[in-house]
Amino acid sequence: MPGSIGRQTVVLLDAPLVVGDYNSETRDWEHASRTPVSGCTVDYTGSREQKDARDQTITTAELCMPRIAPRVTEWQRVEWDGRVWQVDGVPDDTQAAGRLSGQVVRLLEVAG
């Protein structure tokens, strides 16, 4: 995948909080705002299958964003490669590696 380093586009999905059942707050993914971000590098990092009570596939990827990209939080989702990914944990702090560093985000997809 060396040819696509820094040449991929992802879409950040940010859903508003709405009042759900029993007065709880939940995210409304049907009405999520979409922000395209170009200049990214995304690569699959692993996958595994579980066959306990049901078949389940868990796929992971890593998203490296340019320094000018919007900040991603653990409450967002990312659309890439025809899939919608959850943000896995709190994204790495961009300032930790220097002011020219972009954000690194771990992505997770659970199917089944």
Side-chain angles (χ1 to χ4, degrees):
M1 188 178 233
S4 22
I5 292 175
R7 296 184 181 172
Q8 295 168 307
T9 299
V10 300
V11 177
L12 301 179
L13 304 173
D14 195 7
L17 280 174
V18 295
V19 177
D21 295 336
Y22 304 105
N23 219 15
S24 65
E25 289 186 335
T26 185
R27 299 252 174 215
D28 182 9
W29 291 107
E30 296 281 325
H31 298 96
S33 64
R34 301 169 54 84
T35 306
V37 179
S38 58
C40 298
T41 302
V42 192
D43 199 5
Y44 289 99
T45 57
S47 66
R48 61 186 183 274
E49 293 183 29
Q50 295 179 346
K51 296 188 177 203
D52 297 329
R54 61 187 168 133
D55 290 344
Q56 187 178 59
T57 304
I58 300 169
T59 308
T60 57
E62 185 175 78
L63 164 63
C64 298
M65 301 179 70
R67 68 179 182 85
I68 58 171
R71 185 142 175 82
V72 177
T73 69
E74 63 271 23
W75 306 109
Q76 293 176 301
R77 293 184 180 171
V78 175
E79 203 173 84
W80 170 70
D81 198 24
R83 301 172 171 187
V84 176
W85 300 78
Q86 298 174 19
V87 174
D88 187 15
V90 178
D92 291 340
D93 182 14
T94 56
Q95 299 303 317
R99 62 188 179 104
L100 297 179
S101 298
Q103 192 173 18
V104 177
V105 181
R106 289 182 310 277
L107 304 176
L108 176 72
E109 181 199 47
V110 180

